[in-house]
PDB file of all heavy atoms in Angstrom:
ATOM      1  N   ALA A  88     -16.619  10.443 -20.833  1.00 94.00           N
ATOM      2  CA  ALA A  88     -17.710   9.924 -19.999  1.00 94.00           C
ATOM      3  C   ALA A  88     -17.119   9.079 -18.874  1.00 94.00           C
ATOM      4  O   ALA A  88     -17.126   7.844 -18.933  1.00 94.00           O
ATOM      5  CB  ALA A  88     -18.668   9.101 -20.850  1.00 94.00           C
ATOM      6  N   PRO A  89     -16.573   9.710 -17.826  1.00 96.00           N
ATOM      7  CA  PRO A  89     -15.908   8.954 -16.760  1.00 96.00           C
ATOM      8  C   PRO A  89     -16.804   7.972 -16.029  1.00 96.00           C
ATOM      9  O   PRO A  89     -16.306   6.993 -15.453  1.00 96.00           O
ATOM     10  CB  PRO A  89     -15.409  10.049 -15.803  1.00 96.00           C
ATOM     11  CG  PRO A  89     -15.480  11.323 -16.557  1.00 96.00           C
ATOM     12  CD  PRO A  89     -16.525  11.157 -17.594  1.00 96.00           C
ATOM     13  N   ALA A  90     -18.118   8.223 -16.020  1.00 96.00           N
ATOM     14  CA  ALA A  90     -19.024   7.351 -15.269  1.00 96.00           C
ATOM     15  C   ALA A  90     -19.214   5.989 -15.923  1.00 96.00           C
ATOM     16  O   ALA A  90     -19.681   5.046 -15.275  1.00 96.00           O
ATOM     17  CB  ALA A  90     -20.382   8.036 -15.089  1.00 96.00           C
ATOM     18  N   ARG A  91     -18.860   5.879 -17.199  1.00 96.00           N
ATOM     19  CA  ARG A  91     -19.001   4.599 -17.905  1.00 96.00           C
ATOM     20  C   ARG A  91     -17.670   3.855 -17.915  1.00 96.00           C
ATOM     21  O   ARG A  91     -16.619   4.459 -18.076  1.00 96.00           O
ATOM     22  CB  ARG A  91     -19.470   4.852 -19.337  1.00 96.00           C
ATOM     23  CG  ARG A  91     -20.810   5.562 -19.421  1.00 96.00           C
ATOM     24  CD  ARG A  91     -21.118   5.936 -20.853  1.00 96.00           C
ATOM     25  NE  ARG A  91     -22.355   6.713 -20.966  1.00 96.00           N
ATOM     26  CZ  ARG A  91     -22.714   7.379 -22.057  1.00 96.00           C
ATOM     27  NH1 ARG A  91     -21.935   7.378 -23.126  1.00 96.00           N
ATOM     28  NH2 ARG A  91     -23.848   8.066 -22.067  1.00 96.00           N
ATOM     29  N   PRO A  92     -17.676   2.542 -17.773  1.00 97.00           N
ATOM     30  CA  PRO A  92     -16.420   1.789 -17.679  1.00 97.00           C
ATOM     31  C   PRO A  92     -15.564   1.888 -18.945  1.00 97.00           C
ATOM     32  O   PRO A  92     -16.078   1.887 -20.064  1.00 97.00           O
ATOM     33  CB  PRO A  92     -16.892   0.345 -17.448  1.00 97.00           C
ATOM     34  CG  PRO A  92     -18.271   0.476 -16.899  1.00 97.00           C
ATOM     35  CD  PRO A  92     -18.863   1.689 -17.549  1.00 97.00           C
ATOM     36  N   PHE A  93     -14.271   1.941 -18.740  1.00 98.00           N
ATOM     37  CA  PHE A  93     -13.302   1.931 -19.837  1.00 98.00           C
ATOM     38  C   PHE A  93     -13.395   0.594 -20.565  1.00 98.00           C
ATOM     39  O   PHE A  93     -13.402  -0.465 -19.930  1.00 98.00           O
ATOM     40  CB  PHE A  93     -11.904   2.133 -19.258  1.00 98.00           C
ATOM     41  CG  PHE A  93     -10.817   2.373 -20.260  1.00 98.00           C
ATOM     42  CD1 PHE A  93     -10.789   3.537 -21.001  1.00 98.00           C
ATOM     43  CD2 PHE A  93      -9.808   1.439 -20.447  1.00 98.00           C
ATOM     44  CE1 PHE A  93      -9.769   3.785 -21.917  1.00 98.00           C
ATOM     45  CE2 PHE A  93      -8.785   1.667 -21.351  1.00 98.00           C
ATOM     46  CZ  PHE A  93      -8.768   2.836 -22.094  1.00 98.00           C
ATOM     47  N   PRO A  94     -13.472   0.593 -21.902  1.00 96.00           N
ATOM     48  CA  PRO A  94     -13.780  -0.653 -22.624  1.00 96.00           C
ATOM     49  C   PRO A  94     -12.589  -1.532 -22.998  1.00 96.00           C
ATOM     50  O   PRO A  94     -12.790  -2.613 -23.546  1.00 96.00           O
ATOM     51  CB  PRO A  94     -14.459  -0.132 -23.900  1.00 96.00           C
ATOM     52  CG  PRO A  94     -13.834   1.199 -24.140  1.00 96.00           C
ATOM     53  CD  PRO A  94     -13.557   1.771 -22.771  1.00 96.00           C
ATOM     54  N   TYR A  95     -11.355  -1.114 -22.693  1.00 97.00           N
ATOM     55  CA  TYR A  95     -10.194  -1.842 -23.203  1.00 97.00           C
ATOM     56  C   TYR A  95      -9.354  -2.443 -22.084  1.00 97.00           C
ATOM     57  O   TYR A  95      -9.452  -2.041 -20.923  1.00 97.00           O
ATOM     58  CB  TYR A  95      -9.344  -0.912 -24.077  1.00 97.00           C
ATOM     59  CG  TYR A  95     -10.162  -0.198 -25.125  1.00 97.00           C
ATOM     60  CD1 TYR A  95     -10.240   1.196 -25.153  1.00 97.00           C
ATOM     61  CD2 TYR A  95     -10.899  -0.918 -26.058  1.00 97.00           C
ATOM     62  CE1 TYR A  95     -11.017   1.848 -26.101  1.00 97.00           C
ATOM     63  CE2 TYR A  95     -11.675  -0.280 -27.012  1.00 97.00           C
ATOM     64  CZ  TYR A  95     -11.735   1.111 -27.021  1.00 97.00           C
ATOM     65  OH  TYR A  95     -12.523   1.746 -27.953  1.00 97.00           O
ATOM     66  N   GLN A  96      -8.512  -3.407 -22.450  1.00 97.00           N
ATOM     67  CA  GLN A  96      -7.602  -4.076 -21.533  1.00 97.00           C
ATOM     68  C   GLN A  96      -6.161  -3.772 -21.940  1.00 97.00           C
ATOM     69  O   GLN A  96      -5.903  -3.316 -23.054  1.00 97.00           O
ATOM     70  CB  GLN A  96      -7.839  -5.589 -21.552  1.00 97.00           C
ATOM     71  CG  GLN A  96      -9.243  -5.999 -21.183  1.00 97.00           C
ATOM     72  CD  GLN A  96      -9.601  -5.642 -19.756  1.00 97.00           C
ATOM     73  OE1 GLN A  96      -8.821  -5.900 -18.841  1.00 97.00           O
ATOM     74  NE2 GLN A  96     -10.764  -5.041 -19.552  1.00 97.00           N
ATOM     75  N   LEU A  97      -5.217  -4.046 -21.044  1.00 97.00           N
ATOM     76  CA  LEU A  97      -3.819  -3.751 -21.338  1.00 97.00           C
ATOM     77  C   LEU A  97      -3.289  -4.528 -22.530  1.00 97.00           C
ATOM     78  O   LEU A  97      -2.346  -4.095 -23.199  1.00 97.00           O
ATOM     79  CB  LEU A  97      -2.959  -4.035 -20.092  1.00 97.00           C
ATOM     80  CG  LEU A  97      -3.218  -3.120 -18.888  1.00 97.00           C
ATOM     81  CD1 LEU A  97      -2.416  -3.612 -17.684  1.00 97.00           C
ATOM     82  CD2 LEU A  97      -2.883  -1.678 -19.213  1.00 97.00           C
ATOM     83  N   ASP A  98      -3.870  -5.696 -22.796  1.00 94.00           N
ATOM     84  CA  ASP A  98      -3.442  -6.494 -23.943  1.00 94.00           C
ATOM     85  C   ASP A  98      -4.527  -6.601 -25.017  1.00 94.00           C
ATOM     86  O   ASP A  98      -4.429  -7.434 -25.922  1.00 94.00           O
ATOM     87  CB  ASP A  98      -3.035  -7.903 -23.488  1.00 94.00           C
ATOM     88  CG  ASP A  98      -4.165  -8.645 -22.781  1.00 94.00           C
ATOM     89  OD1 ASP A  98      -5.235  -8.024 -22.547  1.00 94.00           O
ATOM     90  OD2 ASP A  98      -3.987  -9.833 -22.458  1.00 94.00           O
ATOM     91  N   ARG A  99      -5.551  -5.742 -24.902  1.00 93.00           N
ATOM     92  CA  ARG A  99      -6.626  -5.757 -25.899  1.00 93.00           C
ATOM     93  C   ARG A  99      -7.113  -4.331 -26.093  1.00 93.00           C
ATOM     94  O   ARG A  99      -7.867  -3.808 -25.296  1.00 93.00           O
ATOM     95  CB  ARG A  99      -7.786  -6.653 -25.431  1.00 93.00           C
ATOM     96  CG  ARG A  99      -8.909  -6.777 -26.467  1.00 93.00           C
ATOM     97  CD  ARG A  99     -10.086  -7.549 -25.898  1.00 93.00           C
ATOM     98  NE  ARG A  99     -10.690  -6.886 -24.758  1.00 93.00           N
ATOM     99  CZ  ARG A  99     -11.541  -5.867 -24.854  1.00 93.00           C
ATOM    100  NH1 ARG A  99     -11.878  -5.365 -26.037  1.00 93.00           N
ATOM    101  NH2 ARG A  99     -12.059  -5.324 -23.750  1.00 93.00           N
TER     102      ARG A  99
END
Side-chain angles (χ1 to χ4, degrees):
R91 300 173 184 167
F93 190 68
Y95 309 119
Q96 301 296 313
L97 294 174
D98 59 354
R99 183 186 62 80

